[in-house]
Amino acid sequence: MQTALRIGVAIVLASCGGVASHQTRTQVSDREEAAIDPNLAPEGRLGQASTPSAYRLRLSLDASSGNFLGETTIDITVHQPVHTLWLHSKELQISSAQLEQNGAFYDLKSTTTEVDTELLGLASNHEFAVGPAQLHLRWRGNLGSIQGLFRQSEEGVGYIYSDFEATDARAAFPCYDDPRFKTPWTISIEVPKEHRAFSNAPETRRTRLDNGNDLVRFAPTRALPSYLVAVAAGPFESISGTASNTPLRIIAPKGQAEAGRFVLESTGTMLRYLEEYLGMPMPFPKLDFIAVPRFGGAMENPGLITFSSSILLVGDDASEQAKRRALGVAAHELAHLWFGDFITPDYWNDLWLNEAFATWLSDKTVAHAQPNRATEVLDIADKTTAYGIDHGLGGRRVREPIQNREDIRAAFDKITYRKGGALLTMLEGWLGPKRMQQAVRGYLQAGSGGTVVAETLVRSMTKATGEPGLAPFFQSFLSQTGIPQVHASVQCNDKPQVTLRQSRYLPLEVRPEQRANDRSRAWYLPVCFRVATSSGSTRQCAILDAPEVVVPLSSCPAWLQPNDGDTGYYHYLLSTKAFSALPLKTLSPRETLGFAHSVAAALHAGQLDVTEALQLLKPLRLATSEHVHQVVFDTLYMLSRSVVSDVERPAFAAMIRDWYGPLAQRIGVAPATPEAPWIATTRPALLLLLADLGQSQPVIAAVNAQVTTWLDTPSDVEFALLDSWLRVAALHGKEPLVERYRRATRKTKESVHRVLLFGALHGVRDPHALAAVLRRGPRPPTVWGILSDAILDPALRSAVLGELDASDMSDEEASELFSSLCSEEAITDVRRFFGDAMRAKTVLTPIRGCMAFAKEQHKSAKTAFKN
């Protein structure tokens, strides 16, 4: 519609909740803002009474100690006459604080607030003048274990690391801990003389101090927000190389650095690709990748990127899956050097500007640098992990307003990363690769090393491409939750055409009264589809900016693929005949996965019945894709717990054996050398499916033999496969197997083996044995998902609930435990277990949703499994 095309970029910001800052205080009018006393503690974000322009930071770090010392000078500008300055500090003991202005020094008294203990007030009897000043601070702090400034040990030796995203820089030093404040940092670190120190910038000088320690000085950084500052200290070792003319080191605890050579040697190609694609050299003078023993993923600190050791240090003998993961994570963090480090979101409501670009670019980078390890492009698998959140009514928006620190933490989720990345994939599918590259380069130039907001992106991309539809596109996808569903149908008459209709996708689990209010939700939706022609196929794109759009065709096609390349973030719906007409053998891996998800979604929504969905999914048993198989596996498990009764179960098990028995026989229960990566990643779930739902005696016997051998002589088996073996054996295990697992748990020195054995113990399907396991404990975090399968059996449910105490379980644990239930009998058991109606209510919602699906589809299921 022409109205939509004329919408200005400002609508993006208005509909998404503001420009860059979401806080209690900045939502008032300018007149009200002026009336607020800047000497009072701010609510939400820091005010503008003073702002930093540079930091000189010195830390004393000894990895053999549990605490640290620090001092800093912060160059600031006072913008309003005040006697109290506000910044951030978390659990730091301030020993001295002074403000220097116009040659005079003023002692400051440090205070905190009861409402927000992470605010630091620095008060004086003197009112400071408007203009430049310097804050001088000294403090002592305690080292944490995984956040802020923290210490970890390897083989009894200590190492210090940092991780400040999102709001933990304040746990290491007092600062203006808000991403909009980007300043240079000049850092020096005092360490024992035998230790090394690292930070964002190159080391410039190392000198011996009178106390015998060394002081390591680093060059000033380019402007960075506090959360990207990084330091490390300890007896590290490193290996060195270059990546596209940039010095690169892999830094690790003693004896481990060599295991990072694969990443060291792979980074150059990826970095060169990013520089060429973005038309801009890497914006920082050096690259250090540092391994952290116990860490969740990686963090993009420029010049000192932290990685979990299990990701970075893959070694020569690592599996292809481990190497692909290492490349994907490294590519993601390299992309952050531009998106997040060079240009930084003004606030956390625009975290997606960091993570969406890093997610999208990491897949392109790996596919370019090592195409043999990108057989399945990762972004399509990643975007589907957002579906579970986006299918329901209670999800997050990509650009969600931030009111407090809980909102900041919530922003680090699959919607921000995976849906955000998928929107860029969809945008590229619409604009085309060349125009997308122009748009991305225009955005980087507009940001120019500073802070950015959503408006920066929309304006710059619109200017670079001349595409007026970018504003309504971003507005519709950033400001509302949900995933669209596109219903496509072909009309073959004198003027062949495709009719495209959009609505919000909602499964049967959403109650009718809730669904009625959301079906009318609409998006500015680019739909690129492919239709059959006499010579092959042709691609067309249309903008679905209304509930329905008609697109003319040159001829009547034999088939229609409604999501070309599966780049669009939407499910599609076809008639059963049109679904069946799709030439699955000619679809790309991504399109095949999109087909699987669209069929499964239609089944969940009651748009396909069980018989139709199984007929469409059956050919996918031949797919060479772990992700496609997982969609089918998940669908089969869902049907098993919802619509397969005891009467149909034998036929259902026979169907699973018929579908997947040949694949298990072909690939075996143990790894072979060589084998395709998808086989190794599919095997664990395949064995569990066949042993559990399929009741395959050959698989059970073969796995039991492997487990017996492993228990006799434990060997190095890939984590997921060993977990699958142990759980398959436990399905039919009784007291003797339980005792063998317990002995192995006590005997092993491998913590990973201990965790897997504990988990598998809770998969025993004998009620007496399982009750004994629960009685003796302990209970690892994985136990609730394993028990959720067991309690589908009423006898096992009785045994489990008889040993558990509802008051000892968190809401998250309870939700996971009861997630598979789907019957009135189960509802009665849950109510009896909790007693508390309010706690039971949360758990009962998905159970009732499953029952709604079962009621709609059970008749079809009886037909599907009749034979």
Side-chain angles (χ1 to χ4, degrees), residues 403-583:
Q403 303 293 344
N404 52 50
R405 282 193 291 276
E406 286 300 320
D407 291 339
I408 296 174
R409 282 187 280 270
F412 290 83
D413 72 345
K414 294 171 184 176
I415 294 296
T416 296
Y417 285 70
R418 310 311 184 195
K419 183 176 180 178
L423 297 185
L424 296 179
T425 299
M426 180 160 58
L427 187 61
E428 183 177 26
W430 168 29
L431 297 177
K434 186 173 181 180
R435 290 177 76 202
M436 183 66 174
Q437 185 180 35
Q438 292 171 342
V440 173
R441 289 182 174 186
Y443 170 51
L444 275 176
Q445 292 166 5
S448 190
T451 58
V452 291
V453 294
E455 186 180 26
T456 313
L457 175 77
V458 178
R459 282 180 173 165
S460 61
M461 284 192 160
T462 301
K463 180 179 179 181
T465 62
E467 176 53 65
L470 292 180
F473 167 78
F474 278 112
Q475 182 268 330
S476 66
F477 277 96
L478 297 180
S479 65
Q480 59 186 352
T481 61
I483 178 172
Q485 185 179 51
V486 175
H487 184 185
S489 59
V490 176
Q491 293 80 44
C492 287
N493 45 38
D494 294 338
K495 296 180 179 179
Q497 61 187 27
V498 173
T499 300
L500 302 172
R501 297 195 301 273
Q502 67 159 305
S503 62
R504 179 178 184 177
Y505 171 78
L506 290 172
L508 287 168
E509 287 87 337
V510 177
R511 296 197 301 271
E513 64 271 21
Q514 295 173 309
R515 188 180 302 119
N517 296 327
D518 274 82
R519 282 292 189 190
S520 60
R521 183 172 296 187
W523 288 261
Y524 188 91
L525 183 61
V527 176
C528 295
F529 59 89
R530 199 167 71 253
V531 293
T533 64
S534 57
S535 59
S537 65
T538 186
R539 182 180 192 265
Q540 291 182 237
C541 289
I543 297 298
L544 192 48
D545 59 353
E548 179 176 303
V549 168
V550 175
V551 183
L553 299 175
S554 59
S555 61
C556 187
W559 51 263
L560 163 73
Q561 207 285 52
N563 196 348
D564 182 53
D566 208 63
T567 58
Y569 187 77
Y570 55 85
H571 294 310
Y572 58 82
L573 179 64
L574 300 169
S575 68
T576 304
K577 181 179 179 181
F579 264 129
S580 300
L582 281 170

Side-chain angles (χ1 to χ4, degrees), residues 581-769:
L582 281 170
L584 294 183
K585 291 183 179 180
T586 67
L587 299 185
S588 71
R590 295 170 59 161
E591 291 172 332
T592 304
L593 183 58
F595 171 87
H597 273 290
S598 288
V599 170
L603 172 65
H604 277 275
Q607 297 158 329
L608 291 173
D609 66 30
V610 175
T611 300
E612 293 168 329
L614 290 176
Q615 288 174 345
L616 294 171
L617 293 175
K618 182 177 180 179
L620 300 182
R621 74 195 189 283
L622 304 175
T624 57
S625 162
E626 63 191 273
H627 303 301
V628 171
H629 286 304
Q630 194 59 59
V631 175
V632 181
F633 294 172
D634 289 345
T635 303
L636 294 172
Y637 275 107
M638 182 272 294
L639 293 175
S640 175
R641 68 175 182 266
S642 60
V643 299
V644 179
S645 69
D646 291 341
V647 174
E648 292 96 37
R649 197 158 298 281
F652 180 67
M655 182 196 78
I656 291 174
R657 294 194 300 270
D658 177 62
W659 281 23
Y660 283 108
L663 177 60
Q665 187 174 13
R666 178 162 65 89
I667 69 175
V669 300
T673 304
E675 64 181 11
W678 73 267
I679 293 177
T681 50
T682 300
R683 182 183 286 113
L686 174 68
L687 298 179
L688 268 172
L689 175 81
L690 282 165
D692 188 4
L693 301 190
Q695 294 294 300
S696 171
Q697 295 306 311
V699 167
I700 293 169
V703 170
N704 283 340
Q706 293 288 343
V707 170
T708 299
T709 300
W710 186 86
L711 289 170
D712 290 338
T713 311
S715 57
D716 188 16
V717 179
E718 196 273 326
F719 180 95
L721 181 59
L722 180 58
D723 183 42
S724 177
W725 283 355
L726 294 172
R727 290 179 60 186
V728 166
L731 289 173
H732 302 281
K734 297 184 183 296
E735 288 291 348
L737 181 67
V738 168
E739 187 52 38
R740 287 212 69 185
Y741 279 11
R742 288 197 179 281
R743 287 200 303 269
T745 301
R746 292 191 295 268
K747 185 178 179 181
T748 184
K749 296 180 180 179
E750 298 289 338
S751 60
V752 170
H753 293 170
R754 192 174 299 111
V755 169
L756 294 182
L757 285 161
F758 272 134
L761 278 168
H762 293 81
V764 174
R765 297 293 174 86
D766 177 84
H768 297 292

Side-chain angles (χ1 to χ4, degrees), residues 40 202 317 359 368 406 523 558:
L40 299 178
D317 299 328
T359 299
H368 172 85
E406 286 300 320
W523 288 261

Side-chain angles (χ1 to χ4, degrees), residues 89-332:
S89 176
K90 181 180 178 181
E91 298 177 358
L92 299 177
Q93 302 167 38
I94 307 298
S95 55
S96 69
Q98 285 187 321
L99 183 131
E100 178 184 359
Q101 190 176 47
N102 300 324
F105 288 82
Y106 304 95
D107 289 333
L108 304 174
K109 180 181 178 181
S110 61
T111 62
T112 59
T113 72
E114 294 182 2
V115 176
D116 187 347
T117 58
E118 296 181 14
L119 282 173
L120 174 64
L122 299 172
S124 171
N125 294 326
H126 173 83
E127 185 171 82
F128 309 125
V130 172
Q134 291 182 320
L135 273 175
H136 304 286
L137 299 165
R138 293 175 182 266
W139 65 92
R140 175 186 295 272
N142 295 318
L143 296 170
S145 60
I146 198 167
Q147 289 176 309
L149 201 55
F150 62 94
R151 179 185 181 276
Q152 292 187 359
S153 295
E154 280 284 272
E155 298 183 356
V157 179
Y159 300 86
I160 293 175
Y161 303 89
S162 67
D163 184 50
F164 296 151
E165 191 179 43
T167 59
D168 284 315
R170 63 192 68 174
F173 41 82
C175 59
Y176 295 76
D177 201 9
D178 186 308
R180 76 180 186 267
F181 298 122
K182 290 186 76 170
T183 76
W185 295 74
T186 303
I187 297 171
S188 59
I189 303 175
E190 180 183 343
V191 293
K193 62 179 184 292
E194 65 275 13
H195 287 187
R196 302 175 70 183
F198 306 92
S199 190
N200 304 88
E203 179 181 328
T204 58
R205 188 181 177 192
R206 185 176 182 124
T207 56
R208 184 65 45 84
L209 302 175
D210 292 341
N211 62 6
N213 288 339
D214 281 2
L215 184 65
V216 185
R217 294 180 173 88
F218 301 91
T221 69
R222 70 181 309 152
L224 297 177
S226 52
Y227 82 89
L228 288 175
V229 172
V231 297
F236 291 99
E237 66 175 28
S238 62
I239 56 175
S240 300
T242 58
S244 188
N245 299 317
T246 298
L248 171 65
R249 292 181 295 192
I250 304 295
I251 303 165
K254 285 183 177 180
Q256 299 181 22
E258 186 57 37
R261 190 163 295 279
F262 170 74
V263 173
L264 182 82
E265 295 176 349
S266 303
T267 299
T269 304
M270 295 192 293
L271 189 60
R272 278 192 298 275
Y273 170 78
L274 286 166
E275 290 178 328
E276 292 168 2
Y277 181 84
L278 300 172
M280 176 183 172
M282 198 275 285
F284 301 94
K286 64 133 177 152
L287 269 178
D288 286 339
F289 292 173
I290 187 165
V292 186
R294 290 164 295 284
F295 193 60
M299 177 60 202
E300 64 267 19
N301 317 301
L304 189 63
I305 300 176
T306 46
F307 289 81
S308 168
S309 294
S310 63
I311 295 174
L312 181 63
L313 308 178
V314 293
D316 292 336
D317 299 328
S319 67
E320 281 299 307
Q321 183 183 13
K323 289 180 177 178
R324 194 168 80 176
R325 183 187 183 207
L327 290 176
V329 174
H332 184 99

